[in-house]
Structures are given as structure tokens and as C-alpha cells.
Amino acid sequence: MLPKEIQNFIEEFSRLPSIGPRQATRLAFRIIGSGLGKVSALADALEGLKRIRICSQCFFVHSSSAASAKEGSPSANLCSICSNPERDHTTFMIVEKETDVLSLERMGKYHGVYMILGELTKGGVLEEYQKSRMSVLKKIIEKLPEKKAREVILGINPNVHGDLTASLLKRELSEHAQRISRIGRGIPIGGEIEFADEDTLGHALEGRN
Amino acid sequence: MLPKEIQNFIEEFSRLPSIGPRQATRLAFRIIGSGLGKVSALADALEGLKRIRICSQCFFVHSSSAASAKEGSPSANLCSICSNPERDHTTFMIVEKETDVLSLERMGKYHGVYMILGELTKGGVLEEYQKSRMSVLKKIIEKLPEKKAREVILGINPNVHGDLTASLLKRELSEHAQRISRIGRGIPIGGEIEFADEDTLGHALEGRN
């Protein structure tokens, strides 16, 4: 009974991982109620994503319109972090997602570069594209003057899959870094010891300082 | 530090009522990760919403491409419910939202027509566009052979604003309908008397049958 245009909208948008059919349906009616201008603004915003490119070193995003300004230069395919000469290009943090980079950059205390590994699958085994990203990282490290990273920080979430993957990455990179560390685990600021689980408490005790 | 295209996407999509900036950010990265084809499919789905028209009687949606097939006919501006001669056009259900119509149609036991009033604001006062929709409803009713609706059902959610609005609508429509009713309130199927609040229990007792 819904017009096919709305059915199509619901089908396409509910395939996005964080939007279910109910939210997609409500979205359709909200957007229709906001008028043609809103539809165009949203469609233009979507089309704009076509100009996004993926950094060839760390796999974060950058804009092709920014890159084309310096086309031909070696930094044309790099994001704003990898092409920034003021960052420490001998320290690498491996994270799962682009949004992890955003949170860490917001914190503002990390000055190295990143490697986005992609979300971990269960079992601590790397997928093919993740293995190829690790090869990219190793090649970047081999081109450093010392042929070793000063440090690789594993910015991997503290959970079972994360722990398995962290061990795997530590083994893989043992020859490629002077130091391999993992972001600290413990009681979050504002959290309470009383309500922390045993694993967290264990890490908080080990990581005391 | 995010490319302006992604910033623009986040800004536009996080203005939608059910999507916050965090979800919009995650969406942007997911869509980018899905490739250009996905971007086009979503943008096309959005553009399709431009062909959606609002029914001149009940304010539900219909497709302009379907309407244009019978352009010039009196039903060109009507949705599939209002233009269906098999529906009972003397019984009206007033609901707040398009999605309420979807749920009621899925149930399949209501054969009258609808009037979408728009979401209620606090205080039980109708907004200007809602008053004008009520005028449309009254004009439709005045054109009926008996100049009165057989029944107007208030399909208004049972809460404080809904109760206030229901009283208002009852007064407004008292001359225009042989009967004005409100959808039953009580214990939902699968719910438990033990956990029902007092108001719900009161209505369940009154509405016993």
C-alpha cells in the first residue's frame, strides 16, 4: 500500500547497518514532510561522499578535491594526518575504525600516525583485506631510516576478539618495532571500582601508576 | 580534520530527528566503505521521494507517477485508500502519523478512511496546519449524502496530550458525526495485569467486554 518510491527508500536505507526498517520508514515520512529542498540537500550530501578517497598509507578518509589541488605530488593520495610533516611518522597506532581515529584526534595528545585495520571478526583471525593492510604497514616501516617503527600502539578494543587479535599483531610486528604497546585498560574516569568487572579490575591493578 | 564532504553529510543527516551526529558519522563511513554504487543507490532512493504527493483528503502519501496515469480524474490527488471505492467513505479514523496508518492497515480490520492530523504538541492545542486539516475533514463530511459521518474514531495515542486533544476533537466534531469513539485502552496482548499502571487498569476495567 506504500508508493514504490517509499518502499525503495526503506529497502535501501534499512540495509545500512544502524538503520532498521522501522527507522527507515519514519525517516521517509519525516523527509517527505520537510519538503523538496530537504530531499535535495540530503541527496547532494550523499553524492558528495563520492569525492572521498581512502588514504593509501593509513586507510583513513580524505577529499579528492583537496588532493587534486596538489595532483602529482607524493601526498596526493594521503589523508591530512599522513601528509602532515609535523606528525611523528615513526610511531603507528593500529585502530579498528575511522571513528576511533576521530576520538583519538579529539583527545589531541597523540602525534604519531595511524593504521585502520577494519573491524575485527570473531576468533582473532585477520580477513584478507586486513592482512593486506598489515603488509602495507610493514612496507611503510621498512622504508623508515631505521627500518623499524619507534613504537606500534595497538589501539584495539579490550574484549575477547581484541585480545586475540592483539596477540596476533604483536607476533607479526615483533621484528618491525622497537616497542609494541597496547592502550591501557582500567576503570574509566567517572566509573566506580564497586561496579567494575573482575577483568577490568585485574587490568587496573596491573596498570597502576 | 574530516573532509568537508563528510562534515556536510553529518550536518545534513544529523538534522533528521532520529539520527544524531554520532550515528550520522558512523553512517558516512559505512556508506563510503560500501562503494560508489551504494552512494548512487541511496541518492536515487532519496530523489525518488520527490515524486511523493500528499493526499488532498487524508494527507497520507501517494506516488505522483501513479496519479499522473489518471491525470484529470477526480482521484488524481488521492491516496490509494481515499480513491478505493470499496472503502467505507462515511467512517473516518483520525490518527497522528502516517506510520499509524501503516500499522492499522497491516491489522486489516478497518475499512473506513483516515485523516492524518500530524503529531500532537503539548497542551492539547492544535497547530494552524492541524486546524486546517480539521476544516478539510469537516468539508468532506458535509459533502456526504447525510452530511454526517457514520462514525469518527479517534486513533489518538493514550497519553496526557492525547487525552486533551481527544476531548477537543470530540467537541469540534460533535455536530459532524453520528458517533465519536476512541480506540480502546487496556492491557496489551502478552502484557500482564501485575505490571500494568493504574490508569491502564482503570481503562481495562471500564472497557471490559
Side-chain angles (χ1 to χ4, degrees), chain B residues 40-137:
Chain B
S40 295
L42 291 169
D44 290 349
L46 261 165
E47 292 283 352
L49 297 186
K50 289 185 176 172
R51 292 192 296 275
I52 296 299
R53 299 287 173 271
I54 304 299
C55 176
S56 61
Q57 290 198 357
C58 75
F59 301 94
F60 191 61
V61 289
H62 64 107
S63 169
S64 66
S65 51
S68 61
K70 26 182 179 170
E71 200 78 72
S73 85
S75 65
N77 265 325
L78 300 183
C79 71
S80 63
I81 299 171
C82 286
S83 61
N84 181 351
E86 295 185 4
R87 307 284 300 213
D88 170 5
H89 291 269
T90 64
T91 300
F92 300 82
M93 170 126 51
I94 300 180
V95 296
E96 285 185 62
K97 301 186 304 284
E98 292 88 348
T99 41
D100 296 337
V101 172
L102 294 183
S103 297
L104 289 157
E105 287 297 295
R106 221 174 285 129
M107 180 232 348
K109 287 185 184 165
Y110 176 66
H111 304 293
V113 292
Y114 296 92
M115 155 62 62
I116 297 175
L117 191 59
E119 283 186 64
L120 301 180
T121 47
K122 289 171 189 174
V125 185
L126 294 186
E127 304 213 14
E128 281 312 312
Y129 82 94
Q130 294 176 319
K131 286 181 190 164
S132 100
R133 288 186 180 191
M134 285 303 292
S135 308
V136 170
L137 175 62

Side-chain angles (χ1 to χ4, degrees), chain A residues 92 94 149-154 166-183:
Chain A
F92 299 83
I94 299 180
R150 189 182 314 190
E151 182 170 355
V152 173
I153 303 168
L154 304 177
S167 327
L168 177 85
L169 296 179
K170 253 185 192 162
R171 276 198 308 277
E172 273 221 36
L173 293 169
S174 57
E175 303 289 301
H176 294 77
Q178 287 166 28
R179 187 182 171 206
I180 301 176
S181 60
R182 191 166 174 198
I183 47 162

